[in-house]
Amino acid sequence: MNKLIVALALVASTAVAQTDPLVIEWVVPKDGKPWELTQDGDQLVTLEWPTSTFHNVHFMRTKEAYDACDFTDTAEVDSKVVDGNNVVVIDPGSYGFGSLYFACEIGRHCQAGQKLHITVAQGTTPAPSVTEETLPPSAGSTTPAPASSDKTMAPTVSSDETTAPTISSTEFTMAPSRNGPLCFQPGAQPTVWEIINDDEEDGKGLEKFERWVKQYKLDNDLDDPLKTWTVFGPTDKAVDAFPKFARNILGRDLIEYHLLEAQALTSEDLKKLDDVGLEMKNGDEVHVHMHGTELELEDSAENHIKFVQVDIVGCNGIVHKIDMVMLYDPDDTKKGDGAGRAVLAAVAAATAAAIAAFVVL
């Protein structure tokens, strides 16, 4: 993926923006339908979302990439922080007429409909080809930007265009550009490692999972502000019910099987991934299931794992507490010799016996 951070007309002159900006709440749409806008190019489009949530905006260079949610050759759009919200302002008119495509690259947000197609009808000549060279300069560029102007917030709209707009008289002023990820911001939330390290709630804490993470030296990865994680942390009660010999057999891969790298998925995100397999850090999959309104995970041993607590948000990811240690499929099973399956069965049986004994006690 092209990691170039760009700004798409973050500041526009009064002559270009003849009307107030159209504000879109940039979240995964409940109905799964992408935003479709048609305009004459005179109106700015503003995407905004709370800094406590995990979204971004990527410029999709082709319709094919947009349709397939292919982020191989995209450009991430720089954002500003305004009153606790991340804000991206797009000036469609700066491209002539034609189609512009944008999408969220986090998790499976794009596949769930968090993307925007703008059709600009103004002009009689084709829109210029958009490349890294023709994109407007980012906030850190030395190229002078056009004079900015104060603007009034426009109606907020959702992907459901029939929703009644709400009006705000708040003055629209761009804040200074963010420097680095959320962990470096003033008053930032803790990293996912700090969340795990500090959670000592009796029985429902993550203190014993923390020891596992440290034993296999994964704490630095989870504390890295430049990485993103979804952590499914078994509670102390779940760890107590898991046989020690099983952890020794399965080793580091067992801990990595509870870590999803490069994605920060909330419980609402997970609910949209019913029957989808998540490839964990060790390479094996955990499947997400919805049973009515109940969210569950299924591991390689076909255990159904319930959530004890969801959406503990950190600056570099999200932690969910679960009621069991998940079992991955050992490599030998994939090779087809049956040894791994035997190990998995023995561990599963021992775990079930330990859980039963724990409950009786």
Side-chain angles (χ1 to χ4, degrees):
M1 180 192 303
N2 185 345
K3 289 297 184 180
L4 175 68
I5 305 296
V6 298
L8 296 179
L10 287 172
V11 182
S13 67
T14 306
V16 173
Q18 297 174 1
T19 60
D20 294 332
L22 177 68
V23 181
I24 293 177
E25 183 184 5
W26 190 240
V27 297
V28 176
K30 292 182 178 179
D31 60 4
K33 297 179 180 178
W35 286 271
E36 296 280 347
L37 300 178
T38 300
Q39 56 155 281
D40 58 11
D42 285 344
Q43 186 177 35
L44 298 178
V45 178
T46 299
L47 310 181
E48 62 178 49
W49 66 97
T51 55
S52 60
T53 61
F54 291 85
H55 300 289
N56 58 24
V57 181
H58 276 244
F59 176 77
M60 315 295 284
R61 300 180 189 278
T62 66
K63 182 179 185 301
E64 290 74 17
Y66 175 84
D67 290 340
C69 292
D70 180 1
F71 293 87
T72 303
D73 185 27
T74 63
E76 185 175 355
V77 184
D78 196 13
S79 64
K80 306 282 188 179
V81 177
V82 181
D83 296 331
N85 287 329
N86 290 311
V87 176
V88 169
V89 181
I90 302 168
D91 177 12
S94 66
Y95 296 98
F97 78 92
S99 290
L100 300 174
Y101 302 99
F102 303 88
C104 179
E105 177 252 357
I106 300 295
R108 293 179 60 85
H109 292 187
C110 178
Q111 289 86 341
Q114 190 177 359
K115 48 188 182 177
L116 165 67
H117 173 208
I118 304 175
T119 301
V120 183
Q122 184 184 31
T124 57
T125 58
S129 172
V130 180
T131 66
E132 291 176 11
E133 291 72 28
T134 60
L135 285 169
S138 67
S141 171
T142 57
T143 304
S148 61
S149 60
D150 292 340
K151 303 188 175 31
T152 302
M153 293 293 282
T156 298
V157 300
S158 69
S159 58
D160 183 356
E161 296 183 358
T162 63
T163 302
T166 58
I167 306 296
S168 170
S169 59
T170 305
E171 182 175 277
F172 186 83
T173 306
M174 301 309 296
S177 180
R178 288 169 49 196
N179 296 315
L182 290 176
C183 296
F184 297 148
Q185 301 304 310
Q189 293 165 311
T191 64
V192 293
W193 167 244
E194 291 171 330
I195 291 172
I196 296 169
N197 190 46
D198 293 340
D199 194 322
E200 299 178 355
E201 182 182 0
D202 187 29
K204 296 182 180 179
L206 298 172
E207 185 176 4
K208 295 180 180 180
F209 179 63
E210 170 208 342
R211 295 175 193 167
W212 286 6
V213 172
K214 289 184 72 173
Q215 178 181 351
Y216 293 101
K217 305 185 186 309
L218 290 163
D219 49 324
N220 287 336
D221 284 339
L222 297 182
D223 202 37
D224 189 338
L226 300 179
K227 294 183 178 180
T228 304
W229 300 95
T230 302
V231 178
F232 300 107
T235 63
D236 289 345
K237 185 176 180 179
V239 172
D240 284 338
F242 193 76
K244 185 176 180 180
F245 85 88
R247 174 167 58 88
N248 293 337
I249 292 174
L250 298 175
R252 180 188 177 99
D253 279 352
L254 176 67
I255 315 306
E256 292 187 343
Y257 190 50
H258 293 75
L259 309 176
L260 179 65
E261 193 169 8
Q263 300 186 52
L265 301 181
T266 67
S267 57
E268 290 302 313
D269 294 330
L270 292 170
K271 288 176 182 179
K272 297 178 183 294
L273 303 178
D274 189 20
D275 294 329
V276 172
L278 305 176
E279 184 175 342
M280 310 305 284
K281 181 172 173 59
N282 77 323
D284 286 86
E285 287 191 349
V286 170
H287 284 80
V288 182
H289 296 297
M290 286 296 297
H291 294 282
T293 59
E294 190 82 9
L295 179 64
E296 290 185 353
L297 300 175
E298 182 181 344
D299 64 12
S300 295
E302 300 182 353
N303 292 313
H304 292 272
I305 293 90
K306 298 185 182 298
F307 288 82
V308 175
Q309 184 178 351
V310 298
D311 299 335
I312 309 172
V313 178
C315 62
N316 67 339
I318 297 178
V319 177
H320 306 287
K321 295 185 187 180
I322 55 177
D323 71 344
M324 287 183 65
V325 176
M326 298 191 291
L327 288 170
Y328 73 94
D329 198 352
D331 287 341
D332 286 340
T333 302
K334 298 174 184 176
K335 297 173 184 176
D337 63 6
R341 178 60 64 186
V343 170
L344 189 62
V347 171
T351 303
I355 291 173
F358 190 87
V359 171
V360 171
L361 291 173

